[in-house]
Amino acid sequence: MVRFVGSDATGLPLKRKQVAQACARCRRRKKRCFHNCDDRSNGLSPSSIETARLPSGDGEVASQALTDHPTPAPPPQFEALPEPTASPTREEHAARFVGDLSPEAILMEATSLCSTRDVSVRGGLGIWQPRAAPQLAKSNSALTTFPSRHAVQDMLKAYVWSHCLACCPPPSDYAVLRRIYVEKLDPIFPILGGHILDSPKDDIEEKVLQQIVSLAAAPDPEATRHLRLKSEGALLSRHNFCTSLSNSIQTIVDAGLFTDRIFLTRALAALSLYMQPSSPDEADVPALLSGRAIHQMHTLGLQMASEDNYTNSQATRTLFCCIWALDRINGAFYGRACLIHERDVGWNLNECIAAQAPPFRLFLMVIELLDKVIGLYRPGNRQEKDIIIELPIFEQMILDAGAARVSSGCLASLEIFYHSVAILSSQSPSENRSTALPAPATNSRRSLAADRITSIVGQEYPGQLSYFPIIPYGVSLSLSVSYRKMRHSNVPMYRSRGKQAFIANTSLLKSLDDTFWTAKTMVAMAEQVLQEMDKAVASITQETGLADASKRVEPVTRGPDELPLSGTGDAILDDPNRSIGDFSVLEAVPDLNIFDHFDPTFDLGAVDTALEGNLDFGTSSNWFDWQQLWG
């Protein structure tokens, strides 16, 4: 017979009369050591250790010997589900951060020599407790303690394995989507870290990684011919493609199949940015996912600085910067309170930003400006006089970030984000926000920034941008600026100019409404405003005897070198069946306000509140209410 002799944690064989040796640290401190007795503390006897060393062919016998009670069988109506393979990366064995305010920290530091004290620049605020792989697996299955929850989770896992993990583009289409993501999106927002280059060894994480990449790259015009979820399946619309992927990723996350909390944090943050709600019930899901990502970040203590010699120090800083930026973006998009505050962060934020790659560094520099702008709109900060935040020149920001060699498409996308922040960087007292003549600095900055956004998206770089949600957000702000000019100007020439800009921005949003829900909501509202304006112009010309401007205007012909407004066509300007009135016929009556001649049943006040609220963080989180109102 062959007898297998067990060994301790240091690799020495276990003998019947052998005395256990203390580790080097305990020998120096002359303390009793328990670190070489991990097997005893886990309730494993030497015989069970020997059994665990059986050949791989006896895996079932070994697994039964390692437990004191038999493993419960799965429900009869479901087959046994394969367990995800563990990834041996350092990120999987992430430590749990416990602050000094918790009594657990005192006991943990006194009893566990494996714990590590925080050595951040603020003097240390807690300790890190290492997580072993088995303990991490148990923590993810804590919700299955009760039999009812266990059965429900088994049902959810069965659905995940049969439906959600299979929802993925075929390899040929995924290769194109992955290239789009790597070239246009990952340099600006590297939320997936090194996983995009080195796929996770866990099968579930690898599938979710492919789904996230496909979801992020879907809005790009180049991806239109690759939106499939089956090898021989038909092409899907962007809306259906993104909705299927978003639902699959959310179900996998809710099933609790991830064993790597760092990857779970990345997945939640990426899904928060790239998913698009499909119904009013999902309006707050992106903000909710962002809050869950921040919760995981705080649980792991990623906001606390680590030692410079830590293996994943740079990856941790990059991940923290991504979540911090996402928190500010959600504050602007959805009118939410920021959940990460500088006073609670152990990192030096300026040093973290300076350590990033040039495209991401430039993106974070714009986020810093947005963080200052958000301060204008916090409760109680409304001032009695006009306030405008000074912004650096974007060209100088590019040079300071070392991003001069970044592709023009990425720089143009970040410039759109910069001009969006510029539109929001000025604030007027509430009683002056709807006057005909706004503050000079406010008017000029907003008008120039809005014109630049429209020009970049529609004429300079159509189809070449990095299609983040910041693109439709910027165009929506430009639409609001043109609406305010059209709504409150007393000069017909400026009203006509505002209407042309309003039509151009509506056309741009129309080309994006199949992907971004904000664009779809704004387009529905803007089109109804244009229809009411055309009716009002026709009614005025008929009553006053002016030239009939309600007849259809001939389509605008472009020169051979003139680019269209958007990469997918001008959905409004090139529609031959659309009637577009001309304000020039009303110049004979400069005091005439066309909005006073709207149909009384048309809720103009709701339009004013929605469109002008974009410039004041007022109704960003209520866009779905407007979608329900305007179809």
Side-chain angles (χ1 to χ4, degrees):
M1 294 180 62
V2 179
R3 180 185 179 190
F4 294 91
V5 180
S7 60
D8 58 11
T10 61
L12 296 177
L14 293 175
K15 294 183 180 180
R16 185 171 299 176
K17 296 183 179 181
Q18 181 180 1
V19 178
Q21 296 183 0
C23 64
R25 183 176 180 182
C26 292
R27 285 201 299 270
R28 290 195 304 268
R29 300 179 61 183
K30 298 186 183 300
K31 297 290 186 179
R32 186 174 181 180
C33 179
F34 296 95
H35 301 99
N36 294 337
C37 302
D38 293 338
D39 298 327
R40 297 179 182 177
S41 63
N42 291 333
L44 299 180
S45 61
S47 61
S48 63
I49 298 175
E50 294 176 6
T51 309
R53 291 177 174 270
L54 289 173
S56 58
D58 298 332
E60 295 181 359
V61 179
S63 62
Q64 292 180 2
L66 284 173
T67 57
D68 295 336
H69 52 82
T71 303
Q77 61 270 30
F78 300 106
E79 297 179 358
L81 300 174
E83 293 295 333
T85 56
S87 174
T89 60
R90 175 65 182 270
E91 281 190 346
E92 179 176 355
H93 305 290
R96 179 171 64 98
F97 182 78
V98 181
D100 285 341
L101 291 176
S102 173
E104 183 183 3
I106 302 175
L107 299 176
M108 189 179 298
E109 187 174 18
T111 58
S112 176
L113 298 177
C114 296
S115 60
T116 306
R117 170 148 288 277
D118 169 31
V119 291
S120 65
V121 295
R122 306 205 175 185
L125 301 174
I127 62 174
W128 275 283
Q129 174 67 16
R131 285 180 179 268
Q135 295 176 350
L136 190 59
K138 291 180 181 179
S139 65
N140 285 325
S141 61
L143 295 179
T144 64
T145 303
F146 300 99
S148 59
R149 292 190 178 183
H150 183 79
V152 171
Q153 195 167 40
D154 283 342
M155 295 172 60
L156 190 58
K157 288 182 179 179
Y159 179 81
V160 165
W161 280 98
S162 60
H163 293 81
C164 298
L165 293 178
C167 182
C168 197
S172 58
D173 294 320
Y174 174 70
V176 178
L177 297 175
R178 183 181 182 275
R179 178 181 56 80
I180 294 174
Y181 181 85
V182 171
E183 292 178 357
K184 295 184 177 182
L185 302 177
D186 186 68
I188 296 179
F189 191 72
I191 185 60
L192 298 179
H195 293 290
I196 191 63
L197 300 177
D198 300 327
S199 298
K201 297 182 179 180
D202 185 274
D203 294 337
I204 297 179
E205 294 179 1
E206 184 176 2
K207 283 292 185 181
V208 173
L209 177 69
Q210 295 178 9
Q211 292 174 339
I212 293 175
V213 170
S214 303
L215 176 65
D220 194 278
E222 187 180 353
T224 305
R225 296 177 295 175
H226 303 277
L227 302 181
R228 296 184 182 89
L229 294 177
K230 295 181 180 179
S231 299
E232 302 297 332
L235 283 175
L236 301 175
S237 65
R238 284 192 178 92
H239 174 75
N240 293 335
F241 183 83
C242 294
T243 300
S244 299
L245 289 176
S246 299
N247 292 337
S248 298
I249 299 173
Q250 289 185 71
T251 304
I252 295 173
V253 170
D254 294 338
L257 298 181
F258 290 119
T259 59
D260 185 351
R261 281 204 172 203
I262 298 291
F263 185 84
L264 174 61
T265 305
R266 296 182 184 274
L268 289 170
L271 187 60
S272 172
L273 180 64
Y274 295 121
M275 78 151 297
Q276 296 297 318
S278 58
S279 66
D281 295 336
E282 297 181 357
D284 61 341
V285 171
L288 175 63
L289 293 170
S290 174
R292 293 178 62 183
I294 295 173
H295 164 76
Q296 294 292 339
M297 181 201 73
H298 287 152
T299 301
L300 296 172
L302 300 181
Q303 80 279 9
M304 307 307 299
S306 60
E307 298 178 358
D308 294 336
N309 58 357
Y310 178 59
T311 306
N312 290 328
S313 178
Q314 180 58 32
T316 302
R317 286 195 291 185
T318 301
L319 177 57
F320 167 75
C321 289
C322 287
I323 300 177
W324 173 77
L326 181 64
D327 186 36
R328 270 52 187 174
I329 291 176
N330 276 291
F333 284 10
Y334 306 107
R336 298 290 177 131
C338 295
L339 301 181
I340 302 177
H341 304 281
E342 185 180 357
R343 60 180 179 269
D344 300 323
V345 176
W347 297 99
N348 187 314
L349 195 56
N350 293 329
E351 294 179 359
C352 289
I353 295 176
Q356 306 305 318
F360 186 41
R361 188 187 313 155
L362 180 60
F363 175 74
L364 293 175
M365 292 170 66
V366 180
I367 292 291
E368 281 189 303
L369 300 179
L370 177 62
D371 190 29
K372 296 179 181 178
V373 170
I374 290 176
L376 295 178
Y377 300 92
R378 289 194 171 99
N381 283 5
R382 173 68 64 183
Q383 302 294 328
E384 297 300 327
K385 59 181 180 179
D386 294 323
I387 295 179
I388 186 168
I389 294 181
E390 295 297 330
L391 300 180
I393 301 175
F394 186 69
E395 181 179 357
Q396 186 62 47
M397 294 178 64
I398 295 176
L399 299 177
D400 294 341
R405 297 181 180 272
V406 177
S407 65
S408 299
C410 291
L411 290 180
S413 303
L414 293 175
E415 185 179 3
I416 292 173
F417 191 26
Y418 167 84
H419 288 302
S420 302
V421 176
I423 291 176
L424 298 170
S425 63
S426 58
Q427 184 189 77
S428 301
S430 56
E431 62 272 10
N432 295 336
R433 280 180 287 173
S434 299
T435 57
L437 296 177
T442 299
N443 181 66
S444 59
R445 172 177 286 193
R446 285 183 169 177
S447 298
L448 292 175
D451 291 343
R452 292 299 304 139
I453 291 175
T454 305
S455 176
I456 292 173
V457 178
Q459 297 178 2
E460 298 181 21
Y461 296 95
Q464 305 175 40
L465 300 171
S466 301
Y467 283 88
F468 285 98
I470 59 178
I471 304 300
Y473 181 71
V475 179
S476 298
L477 291 174
S478 180
L479 180 78
S480 296
V481 172
S482 60
Y483 176 80
R484 178 171 288 186
K485 183 183 300 184
M486 178 179 64
R487 180 77 168 87
H488 300 294
S489 178
N490 293 326
V491 180
M493 179 184 69
Y494 288 107
R495 290 200 298 260
S496 179
R497 184 180 299 171
K499 182 180 180 181
Q500 295 303 319
F502 188 82
I503 294 174
N505 286 305
T506 304
S507 176
L508 294 179
L509 290 173
K510 183 71 174 179
S511 66
L512 301 172
D513 67 348
D514 194 29
T515 304
F516 301 103
W517 64 275
T518 55
K520 184 177 182 179
T521 306
M522 300 293 288
V523 165
M525 192 184 311
E527 286 184 332
Q528 293 202 26
V529 170
L530 291 175
Q531 292 175 5
E532 290 297 323
M533 292 181 66
D534 291 341
K535 293 179 182 178
V537 170
S539 175
I540 293 173
T541 53
Q542 184 177 3
E543 293 176 359
T544 59
L546 298 175
D548 186 3
S550 62
K551 296 181 180 179
R552 181 175 61 86
V553 180
E554 294 296 329
V556 179
T557 58
R558 298 190 183 92
D561 299 330
E562 189 175 355
L563 293 173
L565 281 177
S566 64
T568 57
D570 302 351
I572 293 180
L573 294 182
D574 288 349
D575 186 359
N577 297 321
R578 175 163 181 78
S579 173
I580 301 178
D582 187 3
F583 273 6
S584 61
V585 299
L586 303 180
E587 292 184 0
V589 190
D591 296 334
L592 182 64
N593 188 355
I594 190 174
F595 290 92
D596 294 337
H597 294 264
F598 271 28
D599 190 336
T601 60
F602 184 80
D603 196 350
L604 184 60
V607 176
D608 292 341
T609 303
L611 294 182
E612 296 187 0
N614 287 338
L615 305 177
D616 200 24
F617 287 178
T619 56
S620 300
S621 59
N622 297 326
W623 272 332
F624 258 117
D625 294 338
W626 308 127
Q627 183 183 20
Q628 288 180 313
L629 181 62
W630 303 105

